Amino acid sequence: AEQVDKMIAQIAVSSQQQTSTASHSSSSLHSIYQLGSENLTAMSNSVTSAELLSNSAQDLKKQIEKFRLDATDRNFSSYMPPTQQEVGQWGMATPMLAAE
């Protein structure tokens, strides 16, 4: 009977250790799940931000291309100096032209 009591006690101790280990494992798995979920959210936000940045870059490129001049377009022979009214609006004496 004493040997049976010892075995029951060992089984109870082992059961408590397994319960503790299972609880710790469950807690660790929950932490891993939370980190994965946070990582997924951050990654999704990064992808969205990258797409917005790409779209902005494309829009900016299109805007810049409107101002680009080809060598054949550099005919400034029809250049007229600004009027006094334009000078007042721009706040400068004459507009600057790029040197060729």
Side-chain angles (χ1 to χ4, degrees), residues 31-76:
S31 294
I32 290 169
Y33 171 80
Q34 283 182 321
L35 289 172
S37 179
E38 291 170 9
N39 192 24
L40 180 62
T41 299
M43 208 168 31
S44 177
N45 289 341
S46 294
V47 167
T48 300
S49 295
E51 289 171 348
L52 289 172
L53 182 59
S54 176
N55 290 341
S56 294
Q58 289 174 3
D59 290 344
L60 182 59
K61 183 179 177 185
K62 288 176 186 176
Q63 293 294 326
I64 290 171
E65 286 175 352
K66 290 180 182 179
F67 295 100
R68 189 171 290 159
L69 298 176
D70 291 335
T72 57
D73 292 339
R74 293 183 184 221
N75 181 3
F76 297 115

Side-chain angles (χ1 to χ4, degrees), residues 5-33:
D5 288 341
K6 285 183 183 180
M7 291 173 73
I8 291 173
Q10 288 175 345
I11 291 170
V13 168
S14 295
S15 177
Q16 287 176 346
Q17 289 173 343
Q18 288 177 352
T19 300
S20 175
T21 301
S23 176
H24 181 69
S25 295
S26 176
S27 177
S28 295
L29 287 173
H30 182 70
S31 294
I32 290 169
Y33 171 80

